[in-house]
Amino acid sequence: MRAELQNDLAALARKGNVYKKVDGGYTYAEVDVTVLDTTTNGDTTTSHITEDGRLHLPFTAAEVADGAPEYEEYSVPHILTFTRDASGAWLLAADKAELDGGPVPSTQIAEPVDAPAPDSENEGDKGTASATTELPSGSVDPKATPDVKVSATTSYNYSAMVRYANKYWKTPSDDFRTYGNDCTNFVSQVMRAGGWKATSGSYASRKDNKKWFYASHTWTTSYTWAGAENWYWFAVKHSKRTKSLNNVWKLASADVLQANWKPRNDNIIDHTMVVTKLYKGTPYLTYHTGNTHNKSLRKLLADHPNAAWYAHRT
């Protein structure tokens, strides 16, 4: 365990240096640990805990007052295993972060795994992914507040979308169930909070990417509600509720960013996020799996240089 920790700390130091180069990194961290339950069986004890952290960003008080995020937040569950040695002392033997496939929190070292899309009709090629080259300063309308954004099709309440994401990024709403990979379920809730209307649908039509609806059971909820790939086709092609952006740096508040972690392996989108803050041209993303609030686009691009990104104007 000691050797593993030393390797992780060295990797985190390298990660921290990359973050510092791309956007200044972090100044300090606040971390709370909540013990959920502990069980002992002979000489082995298992604890389920939650690590909740605030990683403070290098903005001044004046910049925060001007709209800069004060910190990035995350929440990650762990399983800790302790073993008792011959002297009776309990030693930490393992620490497993429960990561379900999305971007890992900044305090973790791991690669996200591909999230297979639910079965649906073959929709063909999505075309060219959004570019990641940063645009010249002043070339894009910053749209710093969601209320001034012109939507892709109609008027939505972007402030309500951002409020919902800010409220439920860590603790899910009791009005909805959660999924093992919960990112798109969360973003669908965000869109609904801002005025997206459900289509009609039933068990028979849940695989139809033209439908988008939530019901009391998974088998009566559309795949587009919680499947990242399926959501893409509903949002862009069938409903045209979003407009594809050719560059991720055009994202504004309440816009959506999706990712395919390994585009050389497939053409399937794995993850969905929503912009909850925009400061001086940099979008800050919020998402479930793993639960993260206001992570900068710069850090996400640095973490996943080989991903394919799909940016949406909502």
Side-chain angles (χ1 to χ4, degrees):
M1 186 66 195
R2 184 182 295 112
E4 289 180 13
L5 286 173
Q6 288 174 342
N7 290 336
D8 285 350
L9 288 172
L12 283 171
R14 292 191 294 270
K15 190 177 187 180
N17 287 333
V18 171
Y19 284 174
K20 188 172 183 179
K21 289 178 182 177
V22 297
D23 71 353
Y26 306 109
T27 55
Y28 68 97
E30 298 173 291
V31 179
D32 293 322
V33 174
T34 302
V35 179
L36 304 177
D37 64 68
T38 300
T39 58
T40 299
N41 184 7
D43 291 330
T44 301
T45 289
T46 302
S47 289
H48 291 84
I49 70 167
T50 302
E51 172 195 356
D52 293 308
R54 287 182 173 180
L55 304 175
H56 287 256
L57 299 167
F59 292 114
T60 65
E63 288 173 316
V64 171
D66 188 44
E70 185 176 359
Y71 40 71
E72 171 191 321
E73 296 179 276
Y74 67 89
S75 181
V76 59
H78 293 251
I79 301 174
L80 302 181
T81 303
F82 300 86
T83 56
R84 184 160 45 195
D85 68 9
S87 70
W90 288 98
L91 304 177
L92 180 62
D95 174 3
K96 180 184 178 183
E98 297 185 89
L99 308 171
D100 294 320
V104 299
S106 297
T107 59
Q108 300 294 316
I109 302 296
E111 289 293 327
V113 298
D114 290 337
D119 293 336
S120 65
E121 60 192 81
N122 183 358
E123 296 279 356
D125 185 14
K126 286 185 281 291
T128 304
S130 304
T132 58
T133 303
E134 193 165 354
L135 299 170
S137 177
S139 64
V140 179
D141 180 2
K143 298 182 178 68
T145 60
D147 291 321
V148 301
K149 188 176 67 172
V150 178
S151 76
T153 57
T154 188
S155 177
Y156 297 120
N157 189 334
Y158 300 110
S159 291
M161 291 179 182
V162 172
R163 283 196 303 271
Y164 188 97
N166 287 338
K167 182 176 181 179
Y168 293 111
W169 72 268
K170 181 170 69 172
T171 304
S173 168
D174 291 335
D175 294 334
F176 299 91
R177 64 182 163 272
T178 58
Y179 291 75
N181 194 320
D182 201 54
C183 60
T184 307
N185 175 41
F186 173 64
V187 168
S188 283
Q189 294 171 39
V190 170
M191 296 298 104
R192 192 165 95 161
W196 278 31
K197 302 299 183 184
T199 68
S200 61
S202 65
Y203 170 84
S205 63
R206 72 191 191 284
K207 295 183 180 181
D208 186 348
N209 287 343
K210 301 180 183 68
K211 305 291 186 178
W212 180 80
F213 55 90
Y214 180 87
S216 56
H217 302 286
T218 56
W219 60 87
T220 52
T221 296
S222 69
Y223 284 5
T224 57
W225 181 273
E229 173 78 4
N230 309 77
W231 188 95
Y232 171 93
W233 290 112
F234 172 79
V236 175
K237 178 180 178 180
H238 297 299
S239 71
K240 293 182 171 55
R241 294 183 186 182
T242 70
K243 176 183 177 182
S244 295
L245 298 174
N246 61 9
N247 192 298
V248 297
W249 292 100
K250 294 182 179 180
L251 287 163
S253 294
D255 283 346
V256 171
L257 179 63
Q258 296 189 289
N260 175 3
W261 304 128
K262 299 175 182 177
R264 292 183 180 179
N265 292 358
D266 57 35
N267 192 33
I268 303 299
I269 292 174
D270 301 304
H271 186 65
T272 310
M273 300 166 276
V274 63
V275 179
T276 43
K277 190 171 280 289
L278 186 72
Y279 185 69
K280 292 187 176 179
T282 297
Y284 291 81
L285 285 302
T286 294
Y287 47 91
H288 281 188
T289 317
N291 296 356
T292 299
H293 184 222
N294 285 342
K295 183 161 186 173
S296 80
L297 176 62
R298 296 179 188 278
K299 290 188 175 76
L300 284 163
L301 295 179
D303 282 342
H304 311 289
N306 298 318
W309 304 92
Y310 298 89
H312 305 267
R313 172 64 33 80
T314 55

Coordinates of all heavy atoms in Angstrom, one line a residue, residues 137-200:
S137 N -8.5 35.8 -28.9 CA -9.3 36.6 -28.0 C -10.2 37.6 -28.7 O -9.8 38.3 -29.6 CB -8.3 37.3 -27.1 OG -9.0 38.2 -26.2
G138 N -11.5 37.6 -28.3 CA -12.4 38.6 -28.9 C -13.1 38.0 -30.1 O -14.0 38.7 -30.6
S139 N -12.7 36.8 -30.6 CA -13.4 36.3 -31.8 C -14.7 35.7 -31.5 O -15.4 35.4 -32.5 CB -12.4 35.3 -32.5 OG -12.2 34.2 -31.7
V140 N -15.0 35.4 -30.3 CA -16.3 34.7 -29.9 C -17.0 35.6 -28.9 O -16.4 36.1 -27.9 CB -16.0 33.3 -29.3 CG1 -17.3 32.7 -28.9 CG2 -15.3 32.5 -30.3
D141 N -18.3 35.8 -29.1 CA -19.1 36.5 -28.1 C -19.1 35.6 -26.8 O -19.5 34.5 -26.8 CB -20.6 36.6 -28.6 CG -21.5 37.3 -27.7 OD1 -21.0 37.7 -26.6 OD2 -22.7 37.4 -28.0
P142 N -18.6 36.2 -25.7 CA -18.4 35.4 -24.5 C -19.7 34.9 -23.9 O -19.7 33.9 -23.2 CB -17.7 36.3 -23.5 CG -18.0 37.7 -24.0 CD -18.1 37.6 -25.5
K143 N -20.9 35.6 -24.1 CA -22.1 35.1 -23.5 C -22.0 34.7 -22.1 O -22.3 33.6 -21.7 CB -22.7 34.0 -24.3 CG -23.0 34.3 -25.8 CD -23.6 33.2 -26.5 CE -24.0 33.5 -28.0 NZ -22.8 33.8 -28.8
A144 N -21.4 35.6 -21.3 CA -21.0 35.3 -19.9 C -22.2 34.9 -19.0 O -22.0 34.2 -18.1 CB -20.3 36.5 -19.3
T145 N -23.4 35.4 -19.3 CA -24.6 35.0 -18.5 C -25.5 34.2 -19.4 O -25.7 34.5 -20.6 CB -25.3 36.2 -18.0 OG1 -25.7 37.0 -19.0 CG2 -24.4 37.0 -17.0
P146 N -26.1 33.1 -18.9 CA -27.0 32.3 -19.7 C -28.2 33.0 -20.3 O -28.7 32.6 -21.3 CB -27.4 31.1 -18.8 CG -27.2 31.7 -17.4 CD -26.0 32.6 -17.5
D147 N -28.7 34.0 -19.6 CA -29.9 34.7 -20.1 C -29.8 35.4 -21.4 O -30.8 35.6 -22.1 CB -30.4 35.7 -19.0 CG -30.9 35.0 -17.7 OD1 -31.5 34.0 -17.8 OD2 -30.6 35.5 -16.7
V148 N -28.6 35.8 -21.8 CA -28.4 36.5 -23.0 C -28.1 35.6 -24.2 O -28.0 36.1 -25.3 CB -27.3 37.6 -22.9 CG1 -27.5 38.5 -21.8 CG2 -25.9 36.9 -22.7
K149 N -28.0 34.3 -24.0 CA -27.7 33.4 -25.1 C -28.8 33.2 -26.0 O -30.0 33.1 -25.6 CB -27.2 32.1 -24.5 CG -26.6 31.1 -25.5 CD -26.1 29.9 -24.9 CE -27.2 29.0 -24.3 NZ -26.8 27.7 -23.8
V150 N -28.6 33.2 -27.3 CA -29.6 32.8 -28.3 C -29.6 31.3 -28.5 O -28.6 30.8 -28.8 CB -29.3 33.6 -29.6 CG1 -30.4 33.2 -30.6 CG2 -29.3 35.1 -29.4
S151 N -30.7 30.7 -28.2 CA -30.8 29.2 -28.3 C -30.7 28.7 -29.7 O -30.8 29.5 -30.7 CB -32.0 28.7 -27.6 OG -33.1 28.9 -28.5
A152 N -30.6 27.4 -29.8 CA -30.5 26.8 -31.1 C -31.9 26.9 -31.8 O -32.0 27.0 -33.1 CB -30.1 25.3 -31.0
T153 N -33.0 26.8 -31.1 CA -34.3 26.7 -31.7 C -35.3 27.6 -31.1 O -36.1 28.2 -31.8 CB -34.9 25.3 -31.7 OG1 -34.9 24.8 -30.3 CG2 -34.0 24.3 -32.5
T154 N -35.3 27.8 -29.8 CA -36.4 28.5 -29.2 C -35.9 29.1 -27.8 O -34.7 28.9 -27.5 CB -37.6 27.6 -28.9 OG1 -38.7 28.4 -28.4 CG2 -37.3 26.5 -27.9
S155 N -36.7 29.7 -27.1 CA -36.3 30.3 -25.8 C -36.4 29.3 -24.7 O -37.5 28.8 -24.4 CB -37.1 31.5 -25.5 OG -36.7 32.1 -24.3
Y156 N -35.2 29.0 -24.0 CA -35.2 28.2 -22.9 C -34.7 29.0 -21.7 O -34.1 30.1 -21.9 CB -34.3 27.0 -23.1 CG -34.8 26.0 -24.1 CD1 -34.0 25.8 -25.2 CD2 -36.0 25.4 -24.1 CE1 -34.4 24.9 -26.3 CE2 -36.4 24.5 -25.1 CZ -35.6 24.3 -26.2 OH -36.0 23.5 -27.1
N157 N -34.9 28.5 -20.5 CA -34.5 29.2 -19.3 C -33.1 28.7 -18.9 O -33.0 27.7 -18.2 CB -35.5 29.0 -18.2 CG -35.3 29.9 -17.0 OD1 -34.1 30.3 -16.7 ND2 -36.3 30.2 -16.2
Y158 N -32.1 29.4 -19.4 CA -30.7 28.9 -19.1 C -30.3 29.1 -17.7 O -29.6 28.3 -17.1 CB -29.8 29.6 -20.1 CG -30.1 29.4 -21.5 CD1 -30.6 30.4 -22.3 CD2 -29.9 28.1 -22.1 CE1 -30.9 30.1 -23.7 CE2 -30.3 27.8 -23.4 CZ -30.8 28.8 -24.2 OH -31.1 28.6 -25.5
S159 N -30.8 30.1 -17.0 CA -30.5 30.3 -15.6 C -31.1 29.1 -14.8 O -30.4 28.6 -13.9 CB -31.2 31.6 -15.1 OG -30.5 32.7 -15.7
A160 N -32.3 28.6 -15.2 CA -32.8 27.5 -14.5 C -32.0 26.2 -14.7 O -31.8 25.4 -13.8 CB -34.3 27.2 -14.9
M161 N -31.5 26.1 -15.9 CA -30.6 24.9 -16.1 C -29.4 25.0 -15.2 O -29.0 24.0 -14.6 CB -30.1 24.9 -17.6 CG -31.2 24.6 -18.6 SD -30.6 24.7 -20.3 CE -32.1 24.4 -21.3
V162 N -28.7 26.1 -15.2 CA -27.5 26.3 -14.4 C -27.8 26.1 -12.9 O -27.1 25.4 -12.2 CB -26.8 27.6 -14.7 CG1 -25.7 27.8 -13.7 CG2 -26.3 27.6 -16.1
R163 N -28.9 26.7 -12.4 CA -29.3 26.5 -11.0 C -29.5 25.0 -10.7 O -29.1 24.6 -9.6 CB -30.6 27.3 -10.7 CG -30.4 28.8 -10.6 CD -31.6 29.5 -9.9 NE -32.8 29.2 -10.6 CZ -33.3 30.0 -11.6 NH1 -32.6 31.0 -12.0 NH2 -34.5 29.7 -12.2
Y164 N -30.2 24.3 -11.6 CA -30.4 22.9 -11.3 C -29.1 22.1 -11.2 O -28.9 21.3 -10.3 CB -31.3 22.3 -12.4 CG -31.8 20.9 -12.1 CD1 -33.0 20.7 -11.6 CD2 -31.0 19.8 -12.3 CE1 -33.5 19.4 -11.3 CE2 -31.4 18.5 -12.1 CZ -32.6 18.3 -11.5 OH -33.0 17.0 -11.2
A165 N -28.2 22.4 -12.1 CA -26.9 21.7 -12.1 C -26.1 22.0 -10.9 O -25.5 21.2 -10.3 CB -26.1 22.0 -13.4
N166 N -26.1 23.3 -10.5 CA -25.4 23.7 -9.3 C -26.0 23.1 -8.0 O -25.2 22.8 -7.1 CB -25.4 25.2 -9.2 CG -24.6 25.9 -10.2 OD1 -23.6 25.4 -10.7 ND2 -24.9 27.2 -10.4
K167 N -27.3 22.8 -8.0 CA -27.9 22.3 -6.8 C -27.7 20.8 -6.7 O -27.5 20.3 -5.6 CB -29.4 22.6 -6.9 CG -30.2 22.1 -5.7 CD -31.7 22.6 -5.7 CE -32.4 22.1 -4.5 NZ -33.9 22.5 -4.5
Y168 N -27.8 20.1 -7.8 CA -27.8 18.6 -7.8 C -26.6 17.9 -8.3 O -26.6 16.7 -8.6 CB -29.1 18.1 -8.5 CG -30.4 18.5 -7.9 CD1 -31.2 19.4 -8.5 CD2 -30.7 17.9 -6.7 CE1 -32.4 19.8 -7.9 CE2 -31.9 18.3 -6.1 CZ -32.8 19.2 -6.7 OH -34.0 19.6 -6.1
W169 N -25.5 18.7 -8.5 CA -24.3 18.0 -9.0 C -23.7 16.9 -8.1 O -23.2 15.9 -8.6 CB -23.2 19.1 -9.3 CG -22.5 19.6 -8.0 CD1 -22.9 20.7 -7.3 CD2 -21.4 19.0 -7.3 NE1 -22.1 20.8 -6.2 CE2 -21.2 19.8 -6.2 CE3 -20.6 17.9 -7.5 CZ2 -20.1 19.5 -5.3 CZ3 -19.6 17.6 -6.6 CH2 -19.4 18.4 -5.5
K170 N -23.9 17.0 -6.8 CA -23.4 16.0 -5.9 C -24.5 15.1 -5.4 O -24.3 13.9 -5.4 CB -22.7 16.7 -4.7 CG -22.1 15.7 -3.7 CD -21.2 16.4 -2.7 CE -22.0 17.3 -1.7 NZ -21.1 17.8 -0.6
T171 N -25.5 15.7 -4.9 CA -26.6 14.9 -4.3 C -27.8 14.8 -5.3 O -28.4 15.9 -5.6 CB -27.1 15.4 -3.0 OG1 -26.0 15.5 -2.1 CG2 -28.2 14.6 -2.4
P172 N -28.1 13.7 -5.9 CA -29.2 13.6 -7.0 C -30.5 14.1 -6.4 O -30.8 13.9 -5.2 CB -29.2 12.2 -7.4 CG -27.8 11.6 -7.0 CD -27.5 12.4 -5.7
S173 N -31.3 14.6 -7.3 CA -32.7 14.9 -7.0 C -33.5 13.6 -6.6 O -33.4 12.6 -7.3 CB -33.4 15.6 -8.1 OG -34.8 15.8 -7.9
D174 N -34.3 13.7 -5.6 CA -35.2 12.6 -5.2 C -36.3 12.3 -6.3 O -36.9 11.3 -6.3 CB -35.9 12.9 -3.9 CG -34.9 12.9 -2.7 OD1 -33.8 12.2 -2.9 OD2 -35.2 13.5 -1.7
D175 N -36.5 13.2 -7.2 CA -37.5 13.1 -8.2 C -37.1 12.1 -9.4 O -37.9 11.8 -10.2 CB -37.9 14.4 -8.9 CG -38.5 15.4 -7.9 OD1 -39.1 14.9 -6.9 OD2 -38.4 16.6 -8.0
F176 N -35.8 11.7 -9.4 CA -35.3 10.9 -10.4 C -34.5 9.8 -9.9 O -33.8 10.0 -8.8 CB -34.5 11.7 -11.4 CG -35.2 12.8 -12.1 CD1 -35.2 14.1 -11.6 CD2 -35.9 12.6 -13.3 CE1 -35.9 15.1 -12.2 CE2 -36.6 13.6 -13.9 CZ -36.6 14.8 -13.4
R177 N -34.4 8.6 -10.5 CA -33.5 7.6 -10.1 C -32.1 7.9 -10.7 O -32.0 8.7 -11.6 CB -34.0 6.2 -10.6 CG -34.0 6.1 -12.1 CD -34.5 4.7 -12.6 NE -34.9 4.8 -14.0 CZ -36.1 5.2 -14.4 NH1 -37.0 5.5 -13.6 NH2 -36.4 5.3 -15.7
T178 N -31.1 7.2 -10.2 CA -29.8 7.3 -10.7 C -29.4 6.1 -11.5 O -29.9 5.0 -11.3 CB -28.8 7.6 -9.6 OG1 -28.8 6.5 -8.7 CG2 -29.1 8.9 -8.9
Y179 N -28.4 6.2 -12.4 CA -27.9 5.1 -13.2 C -26.4 4.9 -12.8 O -25.8 5.7 -12.3 CB -28.0 5.4 -14.7 CG -29.4 5.5 -15.2 CD1 -30.2 6.6 -14.9 CD2 -29.9 4.4 -16.0 CE1 -31.5 6.6 -15.4 CE2 -31.2 4.5 -16.5 CZ -32.0 5.6 -16.2 OH -33.3 5.7 -16.7
G180 N -25.9 3.7 -13.1 CA -24.5 3.4 -12.9 C -23.6 4.4 -13.5 O -22.6 4.9 -13.0
N181 N -23.9 4.7 -14.8 CA -23.3 5.8 -15.5 C -24.4 6.9 -15.6 O -25.3 6.8 -16.5 CB -22.8 5.3 -16.9 CG -21.8 6.3 -17.5 OD1 -22.0 7.5 -17.4 ND2 -20.8 5.8 -18.1
D182 N -24.3 7.9 -14.8 CA -25.4 8.8 -14.6 C -25.3 10.2 -15.3 O -26.1 11.0 -15.1 CB -25.5 9.1 -13.1 CG -26.9 9.6 -12.7 OD1 -27.9 8.9 -13.0 OD2 -27.0 10.6 -12.0
C183 N -24.2 10.3 -16.1 CA -24.0 11.7 -16.7 C -25.1 12.2 -17.5 O -25.5 13.4 -17.4 CB -22.6 11.7 -17.4 SG -22.6 10.5 -18.8
T184 N -25.6 11.4 -18.4 CA -26.6 11.9 -19.4 C -28.0 12.0 -18.7 O -28.8 12.9 -19.0 CB -26.7 11.0 -20.6 OG1 -25.4 10.8 -21.2 CG2 -27.6 11.6 -21.7
N185 N -28.3 11.1 -17.8 CA -29.5 11.2 -16.9 C -29.5 12.6 -16.3 O -30.5 13.3 -16.2 CB -29.5 10.1 -15.9 CG -30.7 10.2 -14.9 OD1 -31.8 10.6 -15.3 ND2 -30.4 10.0 -13.7
F186 N -28.4 13.0 -15.7 CA -28.2 14.3 -15.0 C -28.5 15.4 -16.0 O -29.2 16.4 -15.7 CB -26.9 14.4 -14.4 CG -26.5 15.7 -13.8 CD1 -27.3 16.2 -12.7 CD2 -25.5 16.5 -14.3 CE1 -27.0 17.5 -12.2 CE2 -25.2 17.7 -13.7 CZ -25.9 18.2 -12.7
V187 N -27.8 15.4 -17.2 CA -28.0 16.5 -18.1 C -29.4 16.5 -18.7 O -29.9 17.6 -18.9 CB -26.9 16.3 -19.3 CG1 -27.2 17.3 -20.4 CG2 -25.5 16.6 -18.7
S188 N -30.0 15.4 -18.9 CA -31.4 15.4 -19.3 C -32.3 16.2 -18.3 O -33.2 16.9 -18.6 CB -32.0 14.0 -19.5 OG -31.5 13.5 -20.7
Q189 N -32.0 15.9 -17.0 CA -32.8 16.6 -15.9 C -32.5 18.1 -16.0 O -33.4 18.9 -15.9 CB -32.3 16.1 -14.6 CG -32.7 14.7 -14.3 CD -32.1 14.1 -13.0 OE1 -32.0 14.9 -12.0 NE2 -31.6 12.9 -13.1
V190 N -31.2 18.5 -16.3 CA -30.9 19.9 -16.4 C -31.7 20.6 -17.6 O -32.2 21.7 -17.4 CB -29.4 20.1 -16.6 CG1 -29.0 21.5 -17.0 CG2 -28.6 19.6 -15.4
M191 N -31.7 19.9 -18.7 CA -32.4 20.4 -19.9 C -33.9 20.5 -19.5 O -34.5 21.5 -19.9 CB -32.2 19.5 -21.1 CG -30.8 19.4 -21.6 SD -30.1 21.0 -22.1 CE -29.0 21.4 -20.8
R192 N -34.5 19.5 -18.9 CA -35.9 19.6 -18.5 C -36.2 20.8 -17.6 O -37.2 21.5 -17.7 CB -36.4 18.3 -17.9 CG -37.9 18.3 -17.8 CD -38.4 16.9 -17.5 NE -38.6 16.6 -16.1 CZ -39.4 15.7 -15.7 NH1 -40.0 14.8 -16.5 NH2 -39.6 15.5 -14.4
A193 N -35.3 21.0 -16.7 CA -35.4 22.2 -15.7 C -35.5 23.5 -16.5 O -36.1 24.4 -16.0 CB -34.3 22.2 -14.7
G194 N -34.8 23.5 -17.6 CA -34.8 24.7 -18.4 C -35.8 24.9 -19.5 O -35.8 25.8 -20.2
G195 N -36.7 23.9 -19.6 CA -37.8 24.0 -20.5 C -38.0 23.0 -21.6 O -38.9 23.0 -22.4
W196 N -37.0 22.0 -21.7 CA -37.2 21.0 -22.7 C -38.5 20.2 -22.3 O -38.7 19.8 -21.2 CB -36.0 20.0 -22.7 CG -34.8 20.5 -23.5 CD1 -34.5 21.8 -23.7 CD2 -33.9 19.7 -24.2 NE1 -33.3 21.8 -24.4 CE2 -32.9 20.6 -24.7 CE3 -33.7 18.3 -24.3 CZ2 -31.9 20.1 -25.5 CZ3 -32.6 17.8 -25.0 CH2 -31.7 18.7 -25.6
K197 N -39.3 19.9 -23.3 CA -40.5 19.1 -23.1 C -40.3 17.7 -23.6 O -39.7 17.4 -24.6 CB -41.7 19.7 -23.9 CG -42.0 21.2 -23.6 CD -42.4 21.3 -22.1 CE -42.7 22.8 -21.8 NZ -43.0 23.0 -20.3
A198 N -40.8 16.8 -22.8 CA -40.8 15.4 -23.2 C -41.6 15.1 -24.4 O -42.6 15.7 -24.6 CB -41.2 14.5 -22.0
T199 N -41.2 14.1 -25.2 CA -42.1 13.6 -26.2 C -43.0 12.5 -25.7 O -42.8 12.0 -24.6 CB -41.2 13.0 -27.4 OG1 -40.6 11.8 -26.9 CG2 -40.1 14.0 -27.8
S200 N -43.9 12.1 -26.5 CA -44.7 10.9 -26.1 C -43.8 9.7 -26.3 O -42.8 9.7 -27.0 CB -45.9 10.8 -27.0 OG -45.5 10.6 -28.4

